[in-house]
Amino acid sequence: MSSENLPQSPEQQLRKPRVAVVFGGRSSEHGISVVTAGAVLNAIDRTKYDVLPIGITTDGRWALTADEPERMAIANRTMPDVAQLAESEEGGVVLSVDPGSREVVYTEPGAVPKALGEVDVVFPVLHGPYGEDGTLQGLLELSGVPYVGAGVLASAVGQDKEYMKRVFTSFGLAVGPYLVVRPREWEGDPTAVRKRITGFADEHGWPLFIKPARAGSSIGITKVEGASGLDAAIEEARRHDPKFLVESLLRGREIECGVLEFEDGPRASVPAEIPPVTAHDFYDFEAKYIDSASGIVPAPLTEEQTAEVQRLAVEAFDACSCEGLVRADFFLTEDGGFVINEINTLPGFTPISMYPRMWQESGVSYQQLVDRLIQAALNRPTGLR
């Protein structure tokens, strides 16, 4: 019997729903995930929900952390870390994989395990592999615990830029030129890979972007102006993912659009524009999070362009079988057409992030956004749907 069908005890009927905010993780986006968690914890309505913050350290330990969002901010250009927030250096949080129980247990060496109560919904704010890519979602499906955001398939597709583009293409969405290099290709014959990439550049022109296939927040991406820069860019991408992509430069405007699931289906926000970042080569991690480069919301588009990018954002959401939320990123090219770059099934959720800002301009405040996502997760069953 799945947990959503279990009869509720009188205690369950009386208490507030308990939300576990899970953050940190093993990916290179660990720090920004902690920042996101601080913003979400600040926004959750404590009159409606009980909150259980659970941090995952960079080595994969699930740690009980204090509910102190103020300690989760960027300080002196340095990202926060779960290890600094954990209540113990050795204690661990365990979520039952028995779908008949949503009990969370805290254990420490030499101590009696302590029950922390049941969790009604998980709000995962993990960015990148080992969290945003369907791995955590699979665990929660096994456990029968509802969760915010996309399911296993959509999370995996949304994390892997190769298969994301393949899905988009199959649904008729335009993508830019790219090629994929798998680990065995680079490790087996780097000379052949360099030849493929320079041939790609001969066809599409320099510069090229070398990027990890399964990373986000613009981490590990290098803009390469010529063949002499390839090896360093490839090694930088491979520090984050052994599979990498090569993409051509698309000349045009960077446009983003948020999608949020409502009772009647997904709706698109007003779009935003990311203007050229003069202090950076492109809209990279430092521009986004350290230097707080800001987008223009709403984007200065015509009514027709706005309607078109909103339509395409919802199409991308549906193409990947997404749930809950998505940020869709496009290029408005010089010929006037939209080319989709990628979607993010767990977009940046910090106070300066574009996704919340777009919905703020669309009439949904940050607090309302968080509440809507929690309520949607509580009302959506786990399992096949």
Side-chain angles (χ1 to χ4, degrees), residues 19 60 87 180 207 211 217 233 270 320 341 348 355:
V19 181
E87 294 194 347
V180 179
K211 58 176 63 176
S217 297
V270 300
C320 295
N341 183 35
Y355 185 84

Side-chain angles (χ1 to χ4, degrees), residues 60-198:
R61 177 172 63 93
W62 288 46
L64 186 64
T65 67
D67 186 4
E68 298 176 355
E70 65 278 3
R71 295 174 57 199
M72 301 180 182
I74 300 171
N76 300 319
R77 301 176 68 86
T78 301
M79 288 287 174
D81 189 283
V82 167
Q84 301 165 348
L85 302 166
E87 294 194 347
S88 165
E89 293 183 359
E90 295 183 300
V93 173
V94 178
L95 176 66
S96 171
V97 293
D98 176 1
S101 170
R102 295 177 180 174
E103 189 81 15
V104 175
V105 176
Y106 179 69
T107 63
E108 282 194 86
V112 176
K114 176 184 176 182
L116 300 178
E118 291 194 343
V119 167
D120 298 290
V121 62
V122 169
F123 199 130
V125 291
L126 296 153
H127 299 298
Y130 312 110
E132 187 183 353
D133 59 350
T135 51
L136 177 66
Q137 290 75 13
L139 171 65
L140 296 173
E141 291 285 354
L142 286 173
S143 303
V145 179
Y147 54 92
V148 168
V152 175
L153 173 66
S155 297
V157 170
Q159 187 65 40
D160 191 312
K161 294 176 175 61
E162 174 192 358
Y163 290 99
M164 183 196 309
K165 291 176 187 291
R166 291 182 184 277
V167 169
F168 290 156
T169 301
S170 72
F171 277 81
L173 293 162
V175 303
Y178 72 99
L179 62 84
V180 179
V181 180
R182 290 181 169 78
R184 67 176 180 273
E185 295 173 313
W186 176 250
E187 294 160 8
D189 194 346
T191 300
V193 170
R194 292 187 196 97
K195 186 175 180 180
R196 279 179 63 203
I197 296 173
T198 54

Side-chain angles (χ1 to χ4, degrees), residues 52-363:
L52 179 65
I54 299 174
I56 301 178
T57 63
T58 53
D59 61 2
R61 177 172 63 93
W62 288 46
L64 186 64
T65 67
D67 186 4
E68 298 176 355
E70 65 278 3
R71 295 174 57 199
M72 301 180 182
I74 300 171
N76 300 319
R77 301 176 68 86
T78 301
M79 288 287 174
D81 189 283
V82 167
Q84 301 165 348
L85 302 166
E87 294 194 347
S88 165
E89 293 183 359
E90 295 183 300
V93 173
V94 178
L95 176 66
S96 171
V97 293
D98 176 1
S101 170
R102 295 177 180 174
E103 189 81 15
V104 175
V105 176
Y106 179 69
T107 63
E108 282 194 86
V112 176
K114 176 184 176 182
L116 300 178
E118 291 194 343
V119 167
D120 298 290
V121 62
V122 169
F123 199 130
V125 291
L126 296 153
H127 299 298
Y130 312 110
E132 187 183 353
D133 59 350
T135 51
L136 177 66
Q137 290 75 13
L139 171 65
L140 296 173
E141 291 285 354
L142 286 173
S143 303
V145 179
Y147 54 92
V148 168
V152 175
L153 173 66
S155 297
V157 170
Q159 187 65 40
D160 191 312
K161 294 176 175 61
E162 174 192 358
Y163 290 99
M164 183 196 309
K165 291 176 187 291
R166 291 182 184 277
V167 169
F168 290 156
T169 301
S170 72
F171 277 81
L173 293 162
V175 303
Y178 72 99
L179 62 84
V180 179
V181 180
R182 290 181 169 78
R184 67 176 180 273
E185 295 173 313
W186 176 250
E187 294 160 8
D189 194 346
T191 300
V193 170
R194 292 187 196 97
K195 186 175 180 180
R196 279 179 63 203
I197 296 173
T198 54
F200 180 83
D202 289 341
E203 181 179 358
H204 300 289
W206 299 93
L208 301 177
F209 289 91
I210 311 296
K211 58 176 63 176
R214 294 162 290 195
S217 297
S218 298
I219 288 175
I221 300 177
T222 305
K223 183 180 179 182
V224 181
E225 301 289 348
S228 62
L230 279 179
D231 280 18
I234 289 169
E235 290 309 314
E236 172 59 18
R238 281 171 51 81
R239 284 201 313 115
H240 304 278
D241 188 342
K243 182 170 78 166
F244 64 92
L245 266 66
V246 181
E247 295 180 351
S248 65
L249 173 67
L250 289 176
R251 302 189 184 278
R253 299 161 61 186
E254 291 190 53
I255 306 296
E256 298 184 348
C257 190
V259 180
L260 180 63
E261 196 167 12
F262 286 76
E263 290 78 7
D264 60 350
R267 301 181 200 170
S269 69
V270 300
E273 180 169 4
I274 307 300
V277 185
T278 55
H280 298 263
D281 245 0
F282 59 97
Y283 193 45
D284 62 6
F285 181 86
E286 287 211 354
K288 289 178 180 179
Y289 298 114
I290 303 299
D291 294 333
S292 302
S294 185
I296 303 168
V297 188
L301 300 171
T302 66
E303 288 186 13
E304 292 78 12
Q305 289 171 329
T306 296
E308 177 66 359
V309 76
Q310 289 174 325
R311 181 185 70 80
L312 291 171
V314 172
E315 280 196 16
F317 181 97
D318 286 336
C320 295
S321 298
C322 294
E323 295 169 297
L325 72 165
V326 149
R327 192 194 70 232
D329 301 346
F330 297 86
F331 290 101
L332 177 54
T333 59
E334 293 174 340
D335 65 5
F338 284 101
V339 173
I340 189 164
N341 183 35
E342 63 181 26
I343 59 167
N344 196 314
T345 58
L346 186 64
F349 227 86
T350 71
I352 63 170
S353 297
M354 298 307 299
Y355 185 84
R357 287 185 58 202
M358 288 187 286
W359 280 107
Q360 176 77 42
E361 288 293 324
S362 305

